[in-house]
Amino acid sequence: MSTLELAPRLSADAFRQELFERGLLLPTGVDGLYGRSAVFEGLVDAVDRLIGRLSVGDGAEIMRFPPIMTRTGFEASGYFKNMPQLVGTVHCFCGDDREHKRVLSCSPAEGGWLAAQQPSDVVLTPASCYPVYPIIAGRGRLPAEGWLVDSSSYCFRHEPSVDPARMQMFRQREQVCFGTPERIRAFQSHWMTRALEMFRQMGLPATTDLANDPFFGRPGQLMANGQRSQRLKFEILVPISDPDRLSACGSFNYHVHHFADAYGIIGADGEAAHTGCAGFGLERVALALLRQHGFSPEAWPETVRATLWPQS
Amino acid sequence: MLHETVRNVLRRIDDVASSVDTLGNDADLFEAGLSSYGTVEVMVGLESALGIEFPEQMLTRDTFSSINALVRVLQTLRPATAMPAAGSDAVDANGWPVATETAR
């Protein structure tokens, strides 16, 4: 942990209220779903650009996605097996005039206007790396040196909360690496070191720690224990809403050959490739900055401003 | 035997189905291809076959690392708490319910 002085205590609810009152986030009436002000968007954009500047020399292929992905790609990932509680599906009306009239007259007990909604061929994207895997798999064998993708997308996770750091829709900037186990472990380690330096430059008291995904139910506990014992997931943590419970602003993951098996991603040697990703929750980093340095970015320390806005 | 019950469950797991019969009791199941989700399927399969529930503290990678490791853990669970699998009241020499496939 850094020796930086922590911001004064503020509950998650009080922090969110302050963000609302200052107009940084705009309430919608649904926990975890907020509008963003120009100042907040400026912060998200600055963090996004900072990540871009740090990684520009990596030679990653840029991929940007809308916040939905194919249902077939989602199903292949196994996400619903592991984290069904977080999933958001997209359902659409596919009926005719008669069916339309019928559902408009349905009572709430009969399902109301939702009575005829059918699952579509897209789902909400749970992580920005997910749409990347089927694309890479579709290209055939990886080059000998592997491949690197710089992805970004709005992501959805159904976990409504008063904690402003736990949004239902948020942006991820995620680097995705394909190759040998050695390459993925080096990528994971490199991004952890790079992230700690990035957060230090932003004046954020960050630390990294072993972590696990929020797997569902009793089987989930087994999955989480397995993930930890193999040291597959690390997070970069910063105090945001609760000084006693740090919030993850980024994670560094080694998937072994899970996604290669799921999507048929083949390495140069003809074997299942190994994959890893290093991602940041952009809104969370923005919130961490607001929490640590105050609600007025123009009053932040010059070193922090120079890191985020090097031209200003 | 518990070993055979464990093998019967493993034969239904895609990750290791083709190699179970050539694996020794101490062979590393993860090296043999057992994935994280396959581990969950082993857990569910054994709980269903034996009518038991693995205690939280035993839901670790070590528990599922080999056939012998699984048998050692299963032996620590009290057979008296085990319920026979549906449709089968066969038991092995230790008083454990035997997986349906073995009972047939």
Side-chain angles (χ1 to χ4, degrees):
Chain A
M1 177 68 79
S2 158
T3 54
L4 283 171
E5 190 178 338
L6 297 184
R9 275 176 180 271
L10 203 59
S11 72
D13 207 6
F15 181 41
R16 185 174 74 160
Q17 196 54 39
E18 190 83 28
L19 292 163
F20 287 165
E21 285 171 10
R22 291 171 181 269
L24 287 158
L25 291 182
L26 312 173
T28 67
V30 171
D31 287 339
L33 180 65
Y34 312 112
R36 280 80 158 153
S37 72
V39 171
F40 193 87
E41 280 301 279
L43 263 180
V44 168
D45 181 61
V47 174
D48 196 22
R49 286 173 185 273
L50 173 59
I51 297 166
R53 284 194 298 279
L54 290 171
S55 56
V56 71
D58 296 350
E61 176 185 3
I62 302 285
M63 292 191 190
R64 299 291 179 260
F65 295 99
I68 53 174
M69 64 178 289
T70 66
R71 199 172 91 192
T72 52
F74 171 81
E75 287 168 350
S77 73
Y79 193 89
F80 187 80
K81 280 183 179 175
N82 297 330
M83 287 162 278
Q85 77 279 19
L86 302 180
V87 174
T89 53
V90 177
H91 285 60
C92 298
F93 176 77
C94 304
D96 55 14
D97 275 352
R98 202 167 162 176
E99 184 71 346
H100 185 215
K101 206 167 177 180
R102 184 185 74 77
V103 297
L104 284 174
S105 64
C106 277
S107 69
E110 292 167 327
W113 69 271
L114 293 166
Q117 293 297 100
Q118 298 290 327
S120 69
D121 58 0
V122 294
V123 300
L124 299 177
T125 302
S128 79
C129 61
Y130 277 67
V132 174
Y133 302 114
I135 292 174
I136 298 298
R139 291 178 180 172
R141 285 191 185 192
L142 295 172
E145 71 278 15
W147 200 247
L148 190 63
V149 171
D150 175 340
S151 75
S152 185
S153 168
Y154 257 106
C155 301
F156 174 84
R157 292 182 193 170
H158 183 246
E159 43 183 358
S161 167
V162 297
D163 181 354
R166 193 166 291 285
M167 294 185 180
Q168 294 203 59
M169 270 210 134
F170 55 94
R171 274 157 290 188
Q172 268 188 352
R173 175 84 179 257
E174 196 159 43
Q175 316 289 319
V176 197
C177 189
F178 302 79
T180 61
E182 295 73 27
R183 174 162 185 184
I184 308 304
R185 282 297 191 191
F187 162 87
Q188 186 184 31
S189 168
H190 180 60
W191 265 104
M192 284 171 67
T193 304
R194 183 183 262 174
L196 278 171
E197 175 58 16
M198 178 178 114
F199 278 60
R200 189 193 65 75
Q201 289 176 10
M202 290 191 291
L204 293 175
T207 184
T208 55
D209 201 1
L210 193 59
N212 60 266
D213 285 310
F215 296 112
F216 186 70
R218 286 182 65 247
Q221 191 174 345
L222 178 55
M223 299 281 284
N225 287 339
Q227 196 176 33
R228 280 179 173 269
S229 66
Q230 293 176 88
R231 303 177 69 79
L232 299 180
K233 184 181 189 74
F234 292 85
E235 291 176 335
I236 185 159
L237 302 152
V238 181
I240 302 180
S241 301
D242 179 354
D244 299 324
R245 194 159 177 267
L246 302 177
S247 296
C249 287
S251 69
F252 315 95
N253 308 283
Y254 175 29
H255 315 127
V256 194
H257 46 71
H258 170 78
F259 287 116
D261 290 342
Y263 293 102
I265 303 167
I266 307 298
D269 59 0
E271 298 292 321
H274 285 233
T275 65
C277 64
F280 297 93
L282 300 182
E283 280 85 351
R284 279 204 181 172
V285 182
L287 288 169
L289 287 161
L290 289 164
R291 186 73 189 83
Q292 179 64 23
H293 301 307
F295 294 98
S296 304
E298 68 275 10
W300 287 358
E302 193 47 45
T303 51
V304 176
R305 290 187 55 79
T307 296
L308 291 166
W309 296 283
Q311 305 305 321
S312 63
Chain B
M1 291 283 289
L2 274 177
H3 284 90
E4 193 53 31
T5 304
V6 171
R7 284 183 183 276
N8 276 337
V9 169
L10 290 172
R11 285 187 188 104
R12 297 198 297 266
I13 311 299
D14 287 345
D15 297 342
V16 290
S18 60
S19 57
V20 172
D21 292 332
T22 58
L23 286 177
N25 287 337
D26 280 320
D28 188 316
L29 293 175
F30 298 110
E31 280 183 13
L34 186 63
S35 65
S36 302
Y37 199 73
T39 311
V40 170
E41 290 180 307
V42 174
M43 178 194 99
V44 172
L46 284 170
E47 290 188 345
S48 171
L50 297 170
I52 54 151
E53 193 169 280
F54 284 95
E56 277 186 21
Q57 68 272 18
M58 291 179 177
L59 293 176
T60 67
R61 197 170 163 86
D62 286 347
T63 296
F64 296 83
S65 60
S66 69
I67 292 170
N68 272 345
L70 274 163
V71 168
R72 277 194 294 276
V73 168
L74 291 170
Q75 283 170 337
T76 67
L77 304 178
R78 287 175 54 226
T81 65
M83 301 293 289
S88 165
D89 54 4
V91 294
D92 67 16
N94 299 314
W96 280 88
V98 178
T100 312
E101 287 78 356
T102 306
R104 265 195 232 120

